[in-house]
Amino acid sequence: MKFDKDLLRTVFFAVGVVAMVIGVYQTLLFNDLMRNYWIFMVAMACWMPLLYWRQQERLEAKIAEQKEKQAQQARAKTPAKSTKKRR
């Protein structure tokens, strides 16, 4: 069985959104932010890995782009072999 990272991302995002909505509702209902602080922290704890993984993907894409650019430059620097026969 293969681990599906996209499913984990979806669950983290959904739990984070639900916790944020519940925290806002409870804060408005009871007019007490400190009492509901832990709910907001649950939401942030769910979103932190998502932000980290997104940053890692951007970094990997940038590195792959730079490697591709270097490979293209290396191919452009090598002269093409002539098909003419030398005598």
Side-chain angles (χ1 to χ4, degrees), residues 22-42:
I22 291 172
V24 168
Y25 175 75
Q26 290 288 324
T27 301
L28 292 175
L29 186 67
F30 295 114
N31 199 22
D32 188 14
L33 179 64
M34 294 309 294
R35 183 174 161 190
N36 302 307
Y37 182 75
W38 68 273
I39 300 174
F40 292 109
M41 289 301 103
V42 168

Side-chain angles (χ1 to χ4, degrees), residues 6-22 42-43 46-47 50:
D6 290 335
L7 179 63
L8 182 65
R9 288 178 182 208
T10 303
V11 169
F12 273 163
F13 182 75
V15 171
V17 168
V18 168
M20 185 63 73
V21 169
I22 291 172
V42 168
C46 289
W47 287 336
L50 297 175

Side-chain angles (χ1 to χ4, degrees), residues 33-78:
L33 179 64
M34 294 309 294
R35 183 174 161 190
N36 302 307
Y37 182 75
W38 68 273
I39 300 174
F40 292 109
M41 289 301 103
V42 168
M44 290 306 297
C46 289
W47 287 336
M48 287 299 229
L50 297 175
L51 295 173
Y52 176 74
W53 291 332
R54 189 177 300 155
Q55 181 184 19
Q56 291 299 97
E57 287 175 353
R58 281 191 210 133
L59 183 63
E60 289 171 3
K62 195 172 192 178
I63 290 171
E65 181 183 328
Q66 288 175 350
K67 285 183 180 179
E68 179 64 29
K69 192 179 285 187
Q70 288 175 351
Q72 285 179 354
Q73 289 175 352
R75 281 185 290 212
K77 287 182 181 178
T78 57

